[in-house]
Amino acid sequence: MRYVMTVSPDFPPTKIAGWYIFNTWLQRQLGEHIHLELYQDFASQRDAIRADNIDLIYANPFDAAMLVRERGFVAIATPINISDEAIIAVSADSSIHEVEQLQPGTRIATTDDPDVNLISMIMLEPANLSARNVETQTVDTYVLVAKQLLQGKADVGFFLRDAFQGLSRMIREQLRPLVRSEIHVIRHVLLAGPRLQARHDDLRQLLPAMTADTKSNSVLVSLGLQGWELQGQEDTEFMIDLMDTLVD
Amino acid sequence: MQDQERFAMDDMKPENVQEPYTTHLLHYYDGTSRHVLVKDEEVPFPEGKLIVSRTDLQGVITHCNQAFVDMSGYTEEELIGQPHYILRHPDMPKAAFKDAWDTAASGQKWHGYVKNLRKDGRYYWVYATIILNVRDGQPVSCTSVRRKPSRKQVDACIELYARMKQEEAALMKQEVR
């Protein structure tokens, strides 16, 4: 049988090769044919999930609820020491120094990354801002979010923390973080679908053991991960409940 | 959510609260009472953080994150196993909590602004959301997440809650008569 793996479209573009290397490693370990399908955006990935085309997914926490509660996916593992945190940044010379200074009509530059948008909008609530009274410009990449700020086309930009830190030094020096999230429990998670059920236990054995040998460890390095830790179903349910409290 | 007879919590201790403070006797829904010590000093909500806790269906804390511990002033050991009303501030009307628990118990999400009381008598405002956790179709617990509130909304709530407290006090007087 041929299985399909996909990755949340918010992964850093520099890690594309890493996911292909991981997929090759996984196929060898499981002795299964797994095709890696990468989607340009969240909407097309969700269409593929709803069409039951996906068997293994490194999922954005925002999508985990739908995958677990509607599509029967099960949590396998989550990357060690990596949580999804957001940074709201302004241009370095902006007169805005506190969230509370922002006014209705604030222009926001952002991507379609759903959990970053959710966390960032929550961090704007103390200024009485919501989707109803801001102007949102959605662009394709975090570099373009930075560009909107630097060109004065946006007042604030929403960034995944790791993406912000991955911007070139020259760009970062022209920006200033206004507020950073410190939530810790919202994390990407590797979920396996019902067709792969017979291999769930194998995945749970293989992934945490990747740090044990040099070859597997180099696969982790190519993904930019320190390793995988097992994620219990209740841990995932808890994260989904938490996400649920954040969505109005 | 279900009434359950339990032992009363200890009164707040003067050694944990710097003077000046006022003393209030709070009566909780489960029939217990406790003296709390209250200072008129706000602690700002930490930027970028969420305060997260989980309770069982009786409102007893089973999990709390570090932000919860830090803002409450209690240790995690002091919090786990205690009823959530350990943080109840005397300025909060009873009706607000009844609405919260009734709404969550019915499976709906509850949102509201809450003034919480710390172990050291100071207070902090939150925008809270409570949901019922359902597993295999059965309610098993509640998750509560608090985030930094809008000052404008807090100011509106200060007035609203003061009015509600006056109404509650007037109703109690009538009942006594």
Side-chain angles (χ1 to χ4, degrees):
Chain A
M1 187 166 178
R2 179 178 175 272
Y3 298 102
V4 176
M5 176 167 78
T6 189
V7 179
S8 174
D10 57 1
F11 71 89
T14 52
K15 301 299 178 204
I16 289 180
W19 283 105
Y20 279 102
I21 293 166
F22 175 70
N23 187 44
T24 304
W25 174 88
L26 195 58
Q27 289 184 85
R28 285 199 188 125
Q29 298 294 320
L30 291 176
E32 301 281 4
H33 184 196
I34 303 173
H35 169 69
L36 177 63
E37 183 76 45
L38 299 178
Y39 295 91
Q40 289 291 318
D41 52 53
F42 283 93
S44 49
Q45 187 177 75
R46 284 183 200 130
D47 288 344
I49 293 164
R50 290 195 185 95
D52 281 334
N53 291 339
I54 305 299
D55 299 295
L56 195 60
I57 177 168
Y58 182 60
N60 184 288
F62 196 89
D63 289 328
M66 183 253 290
L67 286 154
V68 170
R69 294 191 174 161
E70 295 172 28
R71 317 305 304 188
F73 276 68
V74 170
I76 302 291
T78 189
I80 293 172
N81 289 336
I82 296 182
S83 60
D84 287 28
E85 304 291 356
I87 289 179
I88 298 179
V90 294
S91 166
D93 57 7
S94 167
S95 60
I96 302 294
H97 291 271
E98 288 178 354
V99 165
E100 284 83 349
Q101 288 177 269
L102 294 167
Q103 297 295 321
T106 291
R107 298 166 303 160
I108 297 168
T110 186
T111 65
D112 67 346
D113 194 335
D115 65 337
V116 170
N117 288 337
L118 180 67
I119 296 167
S120 299
M121 284 309 297
I122 283 167
M123 292 195 292
L124 291 186
E125 286 175 350
N128 276 306
L129 297 182
S130 70
R132 288 184 293 276
N133 62 0
V134 296
E135 287 178 30
T136 303
Q137 307 155 20
T138 305
V139 294
D140 287 339
T141 66
Y142 287 111
V143 173
L144 291 176
V145 172
K147 200 173 163 189
Q148 295 294 95
L149 289 174
L150 298 181
Q151 292 179 342
K153 292 178 181 171
D155 304 308
V156 296
F158 293 172
F159 294 87
L160 183 67
R161 178 191 57 192
D162 294 350
F164 185 85
Q165 288 165 350
L167 294 171
S168 74
R169 193 174 157 192
M170 195 184 77
I171 294 179
R172 254 185 300 134
E173 283 178 352
Q174 296 178 73
L175 300 175
R176 173 164 43 85
L178 190 63
V179 57
R180 302 164 180 266
S181 74
E182 293 179 58
I183 297 172
H184 307 299
V185 289
I186 298 180
R187 309 169 79 183
H188 277 57
V189 58
L190 189 78
L191 301 167
R195 279 193 298 264
L196 257 177
Q197 192 166 9
R199 310 311 303 267
H200 288 183
D201 286 345
D202 296 324
L203 287 166
R204 289 194 183 99
Q205 283 183 357
L206 285 167
L207 296 173
M210 285 183 78
T211 49
D213 74 276
T214 318
K215 214 168 186 178
S216 303
N217 210 36
S218 69
V219 176
L220 287 171
V221 170
S222 65
L223 285 172
L225 303 183
Q226 294 174 25
W228 296 98
E229 60 187 349
L230 291 181
Q231 169 96 341
Q233 192 67 7
E234 184 51 34
D235 293 332
T236 307
E237 293 279 0
F238 179 53
M239 185 178 77
I240 293 170
D241 285 333
L242 193 148
M243 297 292 286
D244 195 19
T245 67
L246 303 180
V247 180
D248 285 331
Chain B
M1 286 183 200
Q2 295 158 9
D3 285 345
Q4 192 183 47
E5 204 170 319
R6 61 169 103 248
F7 296 105
M9 273 188 301
D10 292 338
D11 290 337
M12 283 175 68
K13 294 183 171 62
E15 60 263 35
N16 294 325
V17 184
Q18 277 192 342
E19 290 191 40
Y21 58 77
T22 52
T23 304
H24 304 253
L25 179 61
L26 290 186
H27 301 287
Y28 302 112
Y29 77 97
D30 58 8
T32 63
S33 302
R34 180 192 189 211
H35 283 98
V36 296
L37 312 180
V38 177
K39 284 181 70 66
D40 188 17
E41 186 180 330
E42 182 167 4
V43 176
F45 194 102
E47 290 285 352
K49 293 193 179 182
L50 295 178
I51 296 175
V52 182
S53 64
R54 204 160 21 167
T55 67
D56 64 18
L57 296 176
Q58 284 75 45
V60 173
I61 301 168
T62 57
H63 164 94
C64 55
N65 72 349
Q66 192 56 45
F68 188 112
V69 171
D70 293 343
M71 282 304 281
S72 71
Y74 293 94
T75 64
E76 187 174 354
E77 291 72 30
E78 287 173 319
L79 291 164
I80 301 295
Q82 291 296 330
H84 216 281
Y85 58 61
I86 190 172
L87 302 179
R88 175 85 52 92
H89 194 285
D91 288 350
M92 285 298 297
K94 284 182 177 175
F97 291 106
K98 183 169 179 357
D99 178 47
W101 288 105
D102 287 351
T103 304
S106 71
Q108 291 176 295
K109 205 181 292 184
W110 181 85
H111 296 283
Y113 294 86
V114 179
K115 185 178 187 179
N116 281 329
L117 179 63
R118 293 165 48 96
K119 183 182 179 180
D120 64 7
R122 294 187 291 167
Y123 66 88
Y124 58 100
W125 278 95
V126 300
Y127 177 59
T129 305
I130 303 173
I131 60 163
L132 191 64
N133 305 138
V134 179
R135 304 286 184 268
D136 300 320
Q138 297 298 316
V140 293
S141 53
C142 286
T143 295
S144 179
V145 176
R146 298 84 164 176
R147 51 218 222 206
K148 186 173 182 180
S150 135
R151 181 47 55 179
K152 195 174 163 187
Q153 299 295 335
V154 166
D155 289 344
C157 282
I158 289 170
E159 281 183 34
L160 172 69
Y161 292 166
R163 269 204 314 276
M164 288 168 73
K165 287 284 291 183
Q166 280 176 354
E167 285 165 13
E168 281 176 2
L171 204 66
M172 269 188 68
K173 267 186 190 170
Q174 277 181 358
E175 281 172 4
V176 169
R177 280 177 201 158

